[in-house]
Amino acid sequence: MTTPTIALVGGSTRPESVSERALHVVAGQLAARGCAVELLTARDLLLPLYDPVSLHRTPQARNLVSALASCDGLVLSTPTYHGGMSGLMKNALDYAEDLASATPSYLDGRAVGCIATGWSDHGAATAVADLRNSAQSLRAWTTPMGVPINALSRPDVFTDPRLLRRLDILTDQVVTMARARLATALPA
């Protein structure tokens, strides 16, 4: 069986951010399932504003676009800002436009799991919906399980067995869909 590569993208520049810690939890779950993991956290996403006219891309932008092009699935994790994804995440997803003429184009056929962290259930849920809308606009297949995280619910949210279970379900769905993608891929 071919090993799926899953790109984990997101987080916050805030030290010890919950949205980045969620990516690390999922990275461990993916590794336990035998997946190759490519982790791009907020520090890797400090990119110039996406300019579709410019041909110049920073090394970080080229690395992001390469990870998006070569992965079999993705997990996106964002902090919630004003009911939606962070500007950092939106700008990173804008770089997927560089894959418009690729085969497959954009994120077509890739499984995408969405996680958002906020200071309320509502804010985190709307940011998950925001991530899903963007991923689907990029032709991705979003997982049924999205994970909104209320960062104020307890001092260390990652001790909550219900949250860990939801992250586990999201991970299973991304892996299952990524393996199905690999199984149906045409030989090169």
PDB file of all heavy atoms in Angstrom, residues 32-52:
ATOM      1  N   ALA A  32       0.998   7.758  13.469  1.00  0.00           N
ATOM      2  CA  ALA A  32       0.584   6.456  14.016  1.00  0.00           C
ATOM      3  C   ALA A  32      -0.156   5.627  12.974  1.00  0.00           C
ATOM      4  O   ALA A  32      -0.202   4.399  13.085  1.00  0.00           O
ATOM      5  CB  ALA A  32      -0.289   6.657  15.254  1.00  0.00           C
ATOM      6  N   ARG A  33      -0.735   6.277  11.979  1.00  0.00           N
ATOM      7  CA  ARG A  33      -1.452   5.580  10.900  1.00  0.00           C
ATOM      8  C   ARG A  33      -0.550   5.324   9.686  1.00  0.00           C
ATOM      9  O   ARG A  33      -1.030   4.917   8.632  1.00  0.00           O
ATOM     10  CB  ARG A  33      -2.685   6.376  10.496  1.00  0.00           C
ATOM     11  CG  ARG A  33      -3.789   6.347  11.548  1.00  0.00           C
ATOM     12  CD  ARG A  33      -4.821   7.427  11.284  1.00  0.00           C
ATOM     13  NE  ARG A  33      -5.968   7.353  12.176  1.00  0.00           N
ATOM     14  CZ  ARG A  33      -5.995   7.852  13.406  1.00  0.00           C
ATOM     15  NH1 ARG A  33      -4.941   8.454  13.913  1.00  0.00           N
ATOM     16  NH2 ARG A  33      -7.081   7.750  14.149  1.00  0.00           N
ATOM     17  N   GLY A  34       0.730   5.617   9.813  1.00  0.00           N
ATOM     18  CA  GLY A  34       1.681   5.320   8.747  1.00  0.00           C
ATOM     19  C   GLY A  34       1.737   6.343   7.629  1.00  0.00           C
ATOM     20  O   GLY A  34       2.226   6.041   6.533  1.00  0.00           O
ATOM     21  N   CYS A  35       1.262   7.546   7.879  1.00  0.00           N
ATOM     22  CA  CYS A  35       1.276   8.592   6.846  1.00  0.00           C
ATOM     23  C   CYS A  35       2.569   9.398   6.911  1.00  0.00           C
ATOM     24  O   CYS A  35       3.161   9.560   7.966  1.00  0.00           O
ATOM     25  CB  CYS A  35       0.108   9.557   7.051  1.00  0.00           C
ATOM     26  SG  CYS A  35      -1.498   8.780   6.855  1.00  0.00           S
ATOM     27  N   ALA A  36       2.961   9.912   5.771  1.00  0.00           N
ATOM     28  CA  ALA A  36       4.032  10.905   5.727  1.00  0.00           C
ATOM     29  C   ALA A  36       3.383  12.252   6.015  1.00  0.00           C
ATOM     30  O   ALA A  36       2.292  12.535   5.521  1.00  0.00           O
ATOM     31  CB  ALA A  36       4.693  10.911   4.362  1.00  0.00           C
ATOM     32  N   VAL A  37       4.039  13.063   6.821  1.00  0.00           N
ATOM     33  CA  VAL A  37       3.469  14.327   7.259  1.00  0.00           C
ATOM     34  C   VAL A  37       4.369  15.473   6.840  1.00  0.00           C
ATOM     35  O   VAL A  37       5.583  15.412   7.022  1.00  0.00           O
ATOM     36  CB  VAL A  37       3.299  14.339   8.803  1.00  0.00           C
ATOM     37  CG1 VAL A  37       2.838  15.691   9.292  1.00  0.00           C
ATOM     38  CG2 VAL A  37       2.340  13.241   9.239  1.00  0.00           C
ATOM     39  N   GLU A  38       3.773  16.508   6.276  1.00  0.00           N
ATOM     40  CA  GLU A  38       4.490  17.751   5.996  1.00  0.00           C
ATOM     41  C   GLU A  38       3.796  18.856   6.779  1.00  0.00           C
ATOM     42  O   GLU A  38       2.640  19.182   6.502  1.00  0.00           O
ATOM     43  CB  GLU A  38       4.505  18.072   4.513  1.00  0.00           C
ATOM     44  CG  GLU A  38       5.319  19.304   4.226  1.00  0.00           C
ATOM     45  CD  GLU A  38       5.872  19.367   2.828  1.00  0.00           C
ATOM     46  OE1 GLU A  38       5.557  18.486   2.020  1.00  0.00           O
ATOM     47  OE2 GLU A  38       6.603  20.328   2.559  1.00  0.00           O
ATOM     48  N   LEU A  39       4.489  19.396   7.760  1.00  0.00           N
ATOM     49  CA  LEU A  39       3.918  20.384   8.674  1.00  0.00           C
ATOM     50  C   LEU A  39       4.391  21.778   8.286  1.00  0.00           C
ATOM     51  O   LEU A  39       5.591  22.054   8.268  1.00  0.00           O
ATOM     52  CB  LEU A  39       4.330  20.050  10.105  1.00  0.00           C
ATOM     53  CG  LEU A  39       3.792  20.919  11.228  1.00  0.00           C
ATOM     54  CD1 LEU A  39       2.277  20.871  11.293  1.00  0.00           C
ATOM     55  CD2 LEU A  39       4.393  20.469  12.556  1.00  0.00           C
ATOM     56  N   LEU A  40       3.438  22.645   7.969  1.00  0.00           N
ATOM     57  CA  LEU A  40       3.722  24.047   7.659  1.00  0.00           C
ATOM     58  C   LEU A  40       2.944  24.898   8.648  1.00  0.00           C
ATOM     59  O   LEU A  40       1.724  25.062   8.530  1.00  0.00           O
ATOM     60  CB  LEU A  40       3.303  24.379   6.230  1.00  0.00           C
ATOM     61  CG  LEU A  40       4.040  23.624   5.131  1.00  0.00           C
ATOM     62  CD1 LEU A  40       3.352  23.816   3.794  1.00  0.00           C
ATOM     63  CD2 LEU A  40       5.482  24.068   5.055  1.00  0.00           C
ATOM     64  N   THR A  41       3.646  25.402   9.655  1.00  0.00           N
ATOM     65  CA  THR A  41       2.989  26.192  10.687  1.00  0.00           C
ATOM     66  C   THR A  41       3.039  27.672  10.325  1.00  0.00           C
ATOM     67  O   THR A  41       3.605  28.062   9.295  1.00  0.00           O
ATOM     68  CB  THR A  41       3.647  25.955  12.058  1.00  0.00           C
ATOM     69  OG1 THR A  41       5.007  26.370  12.001  1.00  0.00           O
ATOM     70  CG2 THR A  41       3.550  24.481  12.454  1.00  0.00           C
ATOM     71  N   ALA A  42       2.457  28.486  11.177  1.00  0.00           N
ATOM     72  CA  ALA A  42       2.313  29.916  10.901  1.00  0.00           C
ATOM     73  C   ALA A  42       3.637  30.570  10.525  1.00  0.00           C
ATOM     74  O   ALA A  42       3.675  31.420   9.637  1.00  0.00           O
ATOM     75  CB  ALA A  42       1.694  30.617  12.106  1.00  0.00           C
ATOM     76  N   ARG A  43       4.699  30.194  11.159  1.00  0.00           N
ATOM     77  CA  ARG A  43       6.011  30.784  10.832  1.00  0.00           C
ATOM     78  C   ARG A  43       6.401  30.493   9.387  1.00  0.00           C
ATOM     79  O   ARG A  43       7.085  31.286   8.761  1.00  0.00           O
ATOM     80  CB  ARG A  43       7.088  30.284  11.791  1.00  0.00           C
ATOM     81  CG  ARG A  43       6.851  30.688  13.225  1.00  0.00           C
ATOM     82  CD  ARG A  43       7.217  32.128  13.443  1.00  0.00           C
ATOM     83  NE  ARG A  43       6.863  32.506  14.816  1.00  0.00           N
ATOM     84  CZ  ARG A  43       6.536  33.722  15.158  1.00  0.00           C
ATOM     85  NH1 ARG A  43       6.506  34.675  14.258  1.00  0.00           N
ATOM     86  NH2 ARG A  43       6.221  34.002  16.388  1.00  0.00           N
ATOM     87  N   ASP A  44       5.952  29.357   8.850  1.00  0.00           N
ATOM     88  CA  ASP A  44       6.226  29.004   7.450  1.00  0.00           C
ATOM     89  C   ASP A  44       5.299  29.744   6.498  1.00  0.00           C
ATOM     90  O   ASP A  44       5.517  29.738   5.287  1.00  0.00           O
ATOM     91  CB  ASP A  44       6.049  27.500   7.227  1.00  0.00           C
ATOM     92  CG  ASP A  44       6.938  26.666   8.122  1.00  0.00           C
ATOM     93  OD1 ASP A  44       8.157  26.904   8.123  1.00  0.00           O
ATOM     94  OD2 ASP A  44       6.397  25.797   8.838  1.00  0.00           O
ATOM     95  N   LEU A  45       4.259  30.354   7.030  1.00  0.00           N
ATOM     96  CA  LEU A  45       3.235  31.009   6.214  1.00  0.00           C
ATOM     97  C   LEU A  45       3.332  32.531   6.236  1.00  0.00           C
ATOM     98  O   LEU A  45       2.433  33.206   5.739  1.00  0.00           O
ATOM     99  CB  LEU A  45       1.838  30.573   6.676  1.00  0.00           C
ATOM    100  CG  LEU A  45       1.579  29.072   6.696  1.00  0.00           C
ATOM    101  CD1 LEU A  45       0.197  28.784   7.244  1.00  0.00           C
ATOM    102  CD2 LEU A  45       1.774  28.462   5.326  1.00  0.00           C
ATOM    103  N   LEU A  46       4.408  33.061   6.796  1.00  0.00           N
ATOM    104  CA  LEU A  46       4.617  34.511   6.785  1.00  0.00           C
ATOM    105  C   LEU A  46       5.088  34.893   5.386  1.00  0.00           C
ATOM    106  O   LEU A  46       6.279  34.998   5.110  1.00  0.00           O
ATOM    107  CB  LEU A  46       5.621  34.920   7.862  1.00  0.00           C
ATOM    108  CG  LEU A  46       5.151  34.699   9.297  1.00  0.00           C
ATOM    109  CD1 LEU A  46       6.273  34.988  10.286  1.00  0.00           C
ATOM    110  CD2 LEU A  46       3.936  35.559   9.604  1.00  0.00           C
ATOM    111  N   LEU A  47       4.128  35.061   4.505  1.00  0.00           N
ATOM    112  CA  LEU A  47       4.367  35.254   3.080  1.00  0.00           C
ATOM    113  C   LEU A  47       3.929  36.647   2.647  1.00  0.00           C
ATOM    114  O   LEU A  47       3.031  37.231   3.250  1.00  0.00           O
ATOM    115  CB  LEU A  47       3.562  34.225   2.275  1.00  0.00           C
ATOM    116  CG  LEU A  47       3.747  32.759   2.661  1.00  0.00           C
ATOM    117  CD1 LEU A  47       2.674  31.903   1.999  1.00  0.00           C
ATOM    118  CD2 LEU A  47       5.129  32.297   2.266  1.00  0.00           C
ATOM    119  N   PRO A  48       4.518  37.146   1.556  1.00  0.00           N
ATOM    120  CA  PRO A  48       3.981  38.395   1.000  1.00  0.00           C
ATOM    121  C   PRO A  48       2.529  38.180   0.580  1.00  0.00           C
ATOM    122  O   PRO A  48       2.118  37.046   0.296  1.00  0.00           O
ATOM    123  CB  PRO A  48       4.851  38.643  -0.233  1.00  0.00           C
ATOM    124  CG  PRO A  48       6.026  37.747  -0.105  1.00  0.00           C
ATOM    125  CD  PRO A  48       5.631  36.611   0.790  1.00  0.00           C
ATOM    126  N   LEU A  49       1.752  39.258   0.534  1.00  0.00           N
ATOM    127  CA  LEU A  49       0.394  39.128   0.028  1.00  0.00           C
ATOM    128  C   LEU A  49       0.438  38.501  -1.349  1.00  0.00           C
ATOM    129  O   LEU A  49       1.289  38.839  -2.174  1.00  0.00           O
ATOM    130  CB  LEU A  49      -0.295  40.488  -0.041  1.00  0.00           C
ATOM    131  CG  LEU A  49      -0.718  41.089   1.284  1.00  0.00           C
ATOM    132  CD1 LEU A  49      -1.311  42.472   1.074  1.00  0.00           C
ATOM    133  CD2 LEU A  49      -1.714  40.196   1.993  1.00  0.00           C
ATOM    134  N   TYR A  50      -0.473  37.570  -1.584  1.00  0.00           N
ATOM    135  CA  TYR A  50      -0.490  36.884  -2.866  1.00  0.00           C
ATOM    136  C   TYR A  50      -0.721  37.884  -3.990  1.00  0.00           C
ATOM    137  O   TYR A  50      -1.653  38.678  -3.946  1.00  0.00           O
ATOM    138  CB  TYR A  50      -1.571  35.798  -2.901  1.00  0.00           C
ATOM    139  CG  TYR A  50      -1.598  35.094  -4.232  1.00  0.00           C
ATOM    140  CD1 TYR A  50      -0.589  34.208  -4.562  1.00  0.00           C
ATOM    141  CD2 TYR A  50      -2.590  35.347  -5.161  1.00  0.00           C
ATOM    142  CE1 TYR A  50      -0.579  33.579  -5.793  1.00  0.00           C
ATOM    143  CE2 TYR A  50      -2.592  34.721  -6.392  1.00  0.00           C
ATOM    144  CZ  TYR A  50      -1.573  33.836  -6.704  1.00  0.00           C
ATOM    145  OH  TYR A  50      -1.556  33.222  -7.919  1.00  0.00           O
ATOM    146  N   ASP A  51       0.135  37.838  -4.998  1.00  0.00           N
ATOM    147  CA  ASP A  51       0.036  38.710  -6.171  1.00  0.00           C
ATOM    148  C   ASP A  51      -0.005  37.817  -7.405  1.00  0.00           C
ATOM    149  O   ASP A  51       1.013  37.255  -7.795  1.00  0.00           O
ATOM    150  CB  ASP A  51       1.237  39.661  -6.229  1.00  0.00           C
ATOM    151  CG  ASP A  51       1.202  40.605  -7.410  1.00  0.00           C
ATOM    152  OD1 ASP A  51       0.276  40.512  -8.254  1.00  0.00           O
ATOM    153  OD2 ASP A  51       2.115  41.441  -7.510  1.00  0.00           O
ATOM    154  N   PRO A  52      -1.171  37.656  -8.018  1.00  0.00           N
ATOM    155  CA  PRO A  52      -1.279  36.750  -9.156  1.00  0.00           C
ATOM    156  C   PRO A  52      -0.498  37.220 -10.390  1.00  0.00           C
ATOM    157  O   PRO A  52      -0.200  36.422 -11.270  1.00  0.00           O
ATOM    158  CB  PRO A  52      -2.781  36.711  -9.446  1.00  0.00           C
ATOM    159  CG  PRO A  52      -3.318  37.968  -8.879  1.00  0.00           C
ATOM    160  CD  PRO A  52      -2.443  38.306  -7.709  1.00  0.00           C
TER     161      PRO A  52
END
